Amino acid sequence: MSESEGEKLIPINIEDEMKSSYIDYSMSVIVSRALPDVRDGLKPVHRRVLYGMYQLGIISNSSYKKSARIVGEVLGKYHPHGDVSVYDTMVRMAQKWTIRYPLVDGQGNFGSLDADPPAAMRYTEVRMKKISEEMLLDIKKETVDMQLNFDDSLKEPKVLPTRIPNLIINGTSGIAVGMATNIPPHNLKETINAICAYIDNDNNLSIEQIIKYIKAPDFPTGGIIYGYDGVKKAFHTGRGRIVLRAKVHLEDLQGRQCIIVDEIPYQVNKSDMIAKTVLLMKEGKMEGIYQIRDESDRNGLRIVYILKQNVNTNIILNKLFQYTPLQTYFNVNNIALVNGKPVQLNIKNLIQYFVDHRHDVIIRRTKYELKKCKYRVHILMGFLKILDHLNIMIQLIKGAHNHNDACNKLIKKFEISEDQSKSILDMRLQNLTSLERNKLKKEYEKLIKKIDILKNILIKYSVRTQIIKEELLDIKNKYQDIRRTKIDYYGNKVNIEDLIEDEQVVLTISHAGYIKRTSLSEYKRQGRGGIGNRGATARESDFFKHLLIATNHQYLLLFTEKGKCFWLRVYEIPEGSKISKGRAIQNIIHLQHDDKVNAYILTRDLSNKNYIKGHYVMMVTQKGIIKKTSLENYSRPRKHGINAIIIRKEDSLLEAILTKGDSHVFIALKSGRIIRFSEKKVRSTGRTSYGVIGINFTKDMVIGMICVESKEKGYLLVVSEKGFGKRSNIKDYRITNRGGKGIKTIHITKKTGSLISIKHVTDQDDLMIIKKSGIMIRISISDIRVMGRATQGVRLINLKENDAIADVAKVYKPIMGFR
């Protein structure tokens, strides 16, 4: 039709139209589909399903009815958005692993924890749960507003007059436009106790006080809430991240250790979780698991992780928590509709709005009952008025032409209302007996008293709160159950240390600055005089200079020849086999190109104040300068390292040792001389000092230092460049003052070569020796002869021509023997 024929065209900016239309759409989704009402905790589709079942009379004590029948009822009368949405909603309301307190009683296949789909609606049957009837109780007493349905042919409730705090105990989740909600479920008993305390405290209960009643969310699948910070944040702000873990225990099955999963976190798909774990096993990330079996049945969930022999169960368990859905997160986001608008709510707000709703329901119910009572009193007053004039009433009725005439005559004669007159005419003759007359009088008296009670309810707020409390306590007595989800208040995030076994490893650092760690189990003990096993193949003109026995969780403090200190956790050092070359240290720490690592210290936890204050770092340079500094000065790791000692020109840091403050210091020279003095002769200074003279010499060089506690026993082991070594009693070395020239500890000849290492050892220790060619050997200290100070010792390892010993290290027993 053209404009000339009456059509009117209105130009509209497309941007404005899109904006307006999108806002209308988003508000429709927010209000009418995705978000729950704060009062009854239901979205429109949930509310319509329950109301449709109520209208059909499919309550808890009725027979089951086909799901298709309810879906058709709801679809045709209230929710014209597709049968799938209605049926899926009804299914979720019946799944005990999805909703904490199911509102629908289902019969048939309603899916599973493996996310198996439910049977078609023509096969399943449903009826209301008893608890859902509590949500519709009193709905016929004008307790809630009604609205027209989609075609204005019927009315449906805007909200249900629920007696249960459904939004708190069952929670909900939904995605709207530009916002989402994810409210966790809580235990009914705890929730009602908190609401009653809120009422008793004149609606002024703090969130901290509420937490004493509602400990945390309570999920239908149980599990463990790991850590409490997320729960507290969610209670206070309405937003928070809750860590959920599976509930497990250990069993021995057919000689193998097994991890048994009894409960999994909320909303975790069991079959997907198992499939992901199997994939991790194939990728080599779960090497300790031998087999997985799903032994779940109708009696409960049971997943069995069968472990391989000789694996650390805790390590495997922590890896499962880290890499599989055995540990998940529930992101709390309490958004609900308050007066039709989405609002972020904390736990106190949820309780407050529910209590306010119950007040409103009780007021409306009381007004309805009061109106009914007043009407009945009015009718009874008419009865009582004419009962004393029965003969006159009968004569008037007999003389009337019809019903309306009789009604008018009674109104005129006895001055009663039309309703009273009609009720008199409808009265049975049996009510005219004296017995029935007494019943009417008693009923009248009872109603008068009830009216007074109802008026008192409307007038007094405290009376209404008492009714709310009594009704809630009745709900608690009917439906309370024990908490399913346990709380681990002190749980924290999984630390990487929990995923790495604290096993003993060998650390090697080459002359060119390559480092690696290798499991100590790769090295076998040999007898004295053996030729050794092939270690790493050294690069041309490179050889291994440092060898250290450590455990994965220790800290490694690296000291460079220029006096800087760097930090590494042992597990951060790249792992390699015996024959691998390792990785350049400068690629791991921020080392200057003209600097190299010369010393190392192993420590335990640097956050332990007693530990760091009770230990010192003792350092010595090649020129014999010694320095003592508190370990506390090295307890705050920095990425680019720190200065540990000021190094003079033509000097370099050689050794650093951890002490407890009461040790005896032994400093050895290349020429075979050694000095012993008390650590107390060295004053503790700060990191930026030079140090003091430890041993006095000319044309010589310090090759090592050891620190032995004053009461500690054992032997002094010395090893020469050509593979000779021996043990001597510590008592053979007299205590002198710091700064002396020392005494002979080994007879140095061309055959023995220069002194290269000194160690403090016991009979229980082993010795690791590494050649410049890369060959390693491990021997027992007890196999090395105890000899006098001035002897040259015995041959410890056979050396080929042009080969020499690069370094030696002591294998400590037990593992935690490291200082």
Side-chain angles (χ1 to χ4, degrees), residues 499-531:
L499 308 176
I500 300 171
E501 189 168 3
D502 197 20
E503 68 173 350
Q504 205 170 17
V505 294
V506 176
L507 302 181
T508 54
I509 304 172
S510 77
H511 178 72
Y514 288 85
I515 187 171
K516 68 173 182 179
R517 65 182 168 96
T518 308
S519 175
L520 186 62
S521 62
E522 288 198 29
Y523 298 92
K524 297 179 181 178
R525 180 184 294 178
Q526 295 183 6
R528 181 177 63 82
I531 62 172

Side-chain angles (χ1 to χ4, degrees), residues 48-172:
R48 287 163 178 167
V49 167
L50 291 178
Y51 187 64
M53 294 175 75
Y54 176 79
Q55 289 291 82
L56 288 172
I58 309 173
I59 57 177
S60 61
N61 58 2
S62 69
S63 60
Y64 291 95
K65 293 291 187 290
K66 286 288 184 182
S67 299
R69 184 171 176 181
I70 290 91
V71 171
E73 175 81 4
V74 175
L75 199 65
K77 290 184 176 180
Y78 310 113
H79 196 78
H81 296 291
D83 59 335
V84 174
S85 65
V86 177
Y87 185 52
D88 284 353
T89 296
M90 195 161 62
V91 165
R92 288 179 61 82
M93 293 168 74
Q95 290 175 335
K96 60 183 180 180
W97 60 89
T98 299
I99 187 168
R100 182 62 179 84
Y101 297 92
L103 302 177
V104 172
D105 184 5
Q107 184 171 264
N109 175 15
F110 278 83
S112 71
L113 265 174
D114 293 328
D116 296 322
M121 68 180 81
R122 63 183 178 274
Y123 299 119
T124 60
E125 297 178 337
V126 293
R127 65 183 179 187
M128 291 177 70
K129 279 275 191 180
K130 183 68 176 174
I131 195 170
S132 58
E133 292 179 22
E134 306 287 353
M135 301 187 71
L136 289 142
L137 207 63
D138 300 328
I139 196 169
K140 292 183 178 179
K141 294 183 179 180
E142 300 176 1
T143 50
V144 293
D145 292 333
M146 304 295 284
Q147 63 185 2
L148 292 170
N149 68 342
F150 62 91
D151 63 359
D152 294 347
S153 62
L154 297 167
K155 286 191 173 183
E156 61 175 318
K158 289 184 177 180
V159 67
L160 298 186
T162 177
R163 287 193 179 192
I164 63 170
N166 182 60
L167 188 58
I168 304 176
I169 66 170
N170 273 332
T172 191

Side-chain angles (χ1 to χ4, degrees), residues 7 23 105-106 112 124 181 199 210 233 237 282 295 341 404 431 463 483 535 543 550 597 629 682 778:
E7 184 182 59
I23 289 173
D105 184 5
S112 71
T124 60
T181 185
I199 291 170
I210 291 172
K233 185 179 179 183
T237 66
K282 290 179 179 178
E295 299 179 356
K341 297 179 181 179
N404 288 336
N431 290 340
V463 176
R483 164 176 279 279
F543 59 88
V597 174
T629 307
V682 184
R778 176 174 175 175

Side-chain angles (χ1 to χ4, degrees), residues 703-743:
I703 57 92
M705 174 182 71
I706 63 170
C707 295
V708 181
E709 292 184 22
S710 56
K711 295 181 180 180
E712 197 170 356
K713 296 181 180 180
Y715 301 95
L716 186 70
L717 173 73
V718 292
V719 180
S720 72
E721 189 179 15
K722 297 296 185 180
F724 285 82
K726 65 173 181 175
R727 288 187 292 162
S728 303
N729 284 309
I730 288 179
K731 63 182 180 181
D732 293 346
Y733 300 86
R734 68 179 184 273
I735 302 174
T736 62
N737 287 323
R738 174 183 58 81
K741 293 184 180 295
I743 58 176

